[in-house]
Amino acid sequence: MPNGTVRRPRLNVAYGSWELIWSHVHRVLVVNLGIAVTNLPLLLALQMTHQPWRHPVFFGVLLLVLPGPSLAAAFAYLGATVVTGGATGAAAATGASEEQAPVRVFVAAYRRLFRRAVLVSAPFVLLVVAAVVDVVTLRTSALGAAVVPMAVVVALVATVAWPVALAHVAGGGTVGRRLFLLAPYAALRHPLLTLMNLVLAAVALLLVNQAPLMGLAVLPGCVLFVIGRNCQVMADFTDRRAAADHGVPGVPVAPAVRERGADAASEERSRAAHV
């Protein structure tokens, strides 16, 4: 270099990129706070005992009521605050929303989806609780060799299908008997996404168990962002299967939110054509 000067590297990041980074950090922190607050009774109960399977009724009730609505609200919050429709410029190119993703969006989603999320969670949670109880009580009995493997399979299938059904509800889908059949099928039809969800959830639970405060402050939002996207892909499959079962061939099916947007756009074009 001339005159012995050394040019230092500079971090040149556009203003829109910093906005995008901090908006994602804000979303993660909101999800972390929402998950911790809405599941506080369950977290306190887990701190009081290290063997929750010895109290299946108590923890079963907590699992029926608390995690499902909080996960559905997290999926709906992340989906509602990462929208391409209203973004412009650099934000539009990256698929980010310009809104600040306030906490009230999570609260509103939690209140709106609470009842449907509980109805969706109940069958899957009951299956998992019943399977875990069977494994714990029958593992040393004569029937254990035959019952325990089946109970483990049932617990795993119900566990991986549970977030898929919640993502379907968070996207505006309806709750019906068909959902409880299509969600497990969709999870099994996408083994790589299902395996990724299981690994991420297991690692997150392990880290939260080792360092509860640090884990709850960092991990849930990051993990649920990935799990939510994976489950939305699988939930899209449940929508397509439902449309095919209703005899609507040749129509591209998207999640319920995008379906409503497409219907509204179609109606607007029809009205414009008649004017």
Side-chain angles (χ1 to χ4, degrees):
M1 299 295 294
N3 300 328
T5 60
V6 178
R7 185 174 298 176
R8 297 180 179 179
R10 293 182 298 176
L11 182 62
N12 187 14
V13 180
Y15 174 77
S17 299
W18 283 116
E19 284 290 312
L20 180 63
I21 292 172
W22 286 115
S23 64
H24 279 293
V25 172
H26 177 74
R27 292 183 180 103
V28 168
L29 293 178
V30 170
V31 171
N32 294 347
L33 179 63
I35 294 294
V37 171
T38 54
N39 293 280
L40 188 59
L42 178 60
L43 296 175
L44 292 177
L46 289 174
Q47 290 297 318
M48 295 175 62
T49 177
H50 297 287
Q51 296 178 333
W53 55 85
R54 294 185 179 273
H55 312 280
V57 177
F58 176 73
F59 282 95
V61 172
L62 292 180
L63 289 173
L64 282 173
V65 177
L66 297 180
S70 63
L71 290 181
F75 292 156
Y77 173 82
L78 292 173
T81 55
V82 183
V83 184
T84 58
T88 58
T94 54
S97 175
E98 290 184 342
E99 59 182 282
Q100 293 300 316
V103 180
R104 64 175 178 272
V105 175
F106 184 94
V107 176
Y110 185 84
R111 295 176 59 183
R112 173 172 52 87
L113 299 172
F114 183 86
R115 179 176 176 275
R116 284 185 291 167
V118 170
L119 292 177
V120 168
S121 296
F124 297 108
V125 172
L126 289 175
L127 280 176
V128 173
V129 171
V132 171
V133 172
D134 289 342
V135 170
V136 172
T137 56
L138 299 177
R139 68 183 187 277
T140 57
S141 65
L143 296 176
V147 175
V148 169
M150 292 188 296
V152 171
V153 171
V154 170
L156 287 176
V157 172
T159 300
V160 297
W162 179 48
V164 177
L166 290 176
H168 174 80
V169 173
T174 58
V175 179
R177 290 177 296 179
R178 194 183 306 274
L179 176 62
F180 300 110
L181 298 176
L182 290 179
Y185 181 64
L188 295 177
R189 193 176 182 272
H190 296 79
L192 294 180
L193 296 180
T194 299
L195 180 61
M196 182 186 298
N197 290 348
L198 280 176
V199 171
L200 287 175
V203 171
L205 290 175
L206 179 63
L207 294 177
V208 169
N209 182 65
Q210 296 297 320
L213 294 179
M214 182 64 67
L216 289 175
V218 176
L219 292 176
C222 301
V223 172
L224 289 178
F225 182 82
V226 178
I227 292 178
R229 290 298 182 89
N230 293 343
C231 290
Q232 190 59 64
V233 172
M234 293 183 271
D236 290 351
F237 175 74
T238 64
D239 292 333
R240 290 193 295 270
R241 290 291 300 176
D245 292 340
H246 283 84
V248 190
V251 178
V253 180
V257 174
R258 295 200 293 269
E259 286 181 356
R260 290 197 299 267
D263 293 340
S266 178
E267 292 177 3
E268 187 66 24
R269 288 194 298 268
S270 298
R271 287 195 297 266
H274 288 294
V275 174

